[in-house]
């Protein structure tokens, strides 16, 4: 199983970015998917998560500026980020809780991370 994240880059304050993360490989089903971020010198933190049914959860620091969505047919999760601030600068990681067979246990899988830099 592989999670491939993309969409990071350099953006000016107030700008927007859309991150994507596609899961591939031997996947039977995916439960929760989410985005985390880790800024230099800080711990990794949850940005947003979404269940298989579409229920979402956001960190207080991004509420109103970020929208998480997913395409279950494509095993892909997205993160639309608007009104970006310098403090949003971090490496963003996607995570998927999935199982590889019908009777297998759920496990957490992580993407490789994509760097978002917000700077003028």
């Amino acid at each position: 199983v592989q999670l491939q994240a993309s969409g990071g880059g350099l953006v000016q304050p107030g700008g927007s970015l859309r991150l994507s993360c596609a899961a591939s490989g031997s996947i039977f089903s995916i439960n929760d998917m989410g985005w985390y971020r880790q800024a230099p010198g800080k711990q990794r933190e949850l940005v947003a998560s979404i269940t298989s049914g579409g229920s979402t959860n956001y960190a207080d620091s991004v509420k109103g500026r970020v929208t998480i969505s997913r395409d279950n047919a494509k095993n892909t999760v997205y993160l639309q980020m608007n009104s970006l601030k310098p403090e949003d600068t971090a490496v963003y990681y996607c995570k998927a809780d999935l199982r590889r067979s019908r009777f297998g246990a759920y496990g957490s899988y992580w993407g490789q991370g994509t760097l978002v830099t917000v700077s003028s």
Side-chain angles (χ1 to χ4, degrees):
V1 174
Q2 188 175 23
L3 271 66
Q4 184 68 45
S6 61
L10 174 64
V11 62
Q12 292 186 341
S16 298
L17 279 177
R18 188 189 193 214
L19 307 183
S20 300
C21 176
S24 62
S26 179
I27 298 170
F28 180 78
S29 65
I30 301 178
N31 195 3
D32 293 356
M33 302 184 82
W35 288 95
Y36 292 71
R37 67 185 181 187
Q38 187 166 19
K42 294 187 176 182
Q43 290 187 331
R44 190 173 298 188
E45 62 176 3
L46 172 70
V47 178
S49 64
I50 184 168
T51 68
S52 58
S55 296
T56 58
N57 179 49
Y58 296 95
D60 288 342
S61 58
V62 302
K63 280 182 181 176
R65 301 188 296 120
V66 163
T67 301
I68 189 170
S69 61
R70 64 191 282 174
D71 185 333
N72 291 329
K74 296 181 179 179
N75 290 338
T76 299
V77 62
Y78 305 96
L79 190 70
Q80 177 67 44
M81 301 188 292
N82 302 320
S83 303
L84 283 163
K85 305 175 181 180
E87 51 263 43
D88 294 318
T89 296
V91 177
Y92 284 70
Y93 298 90
C94 57
K95 184 172 81 79
D97 295 331
L98 61 88
R99 52 179 174 170
R100 302 182 64 180
S101 64
R102 180 177 181 180
F103 300 108
Y106 278 97
S108 293
Y109 293 79
W110 291 87
Q112 84 283 9
T114 184
L115 177 62
V116 172
T117 303
V118 185
S119 176
S120 55

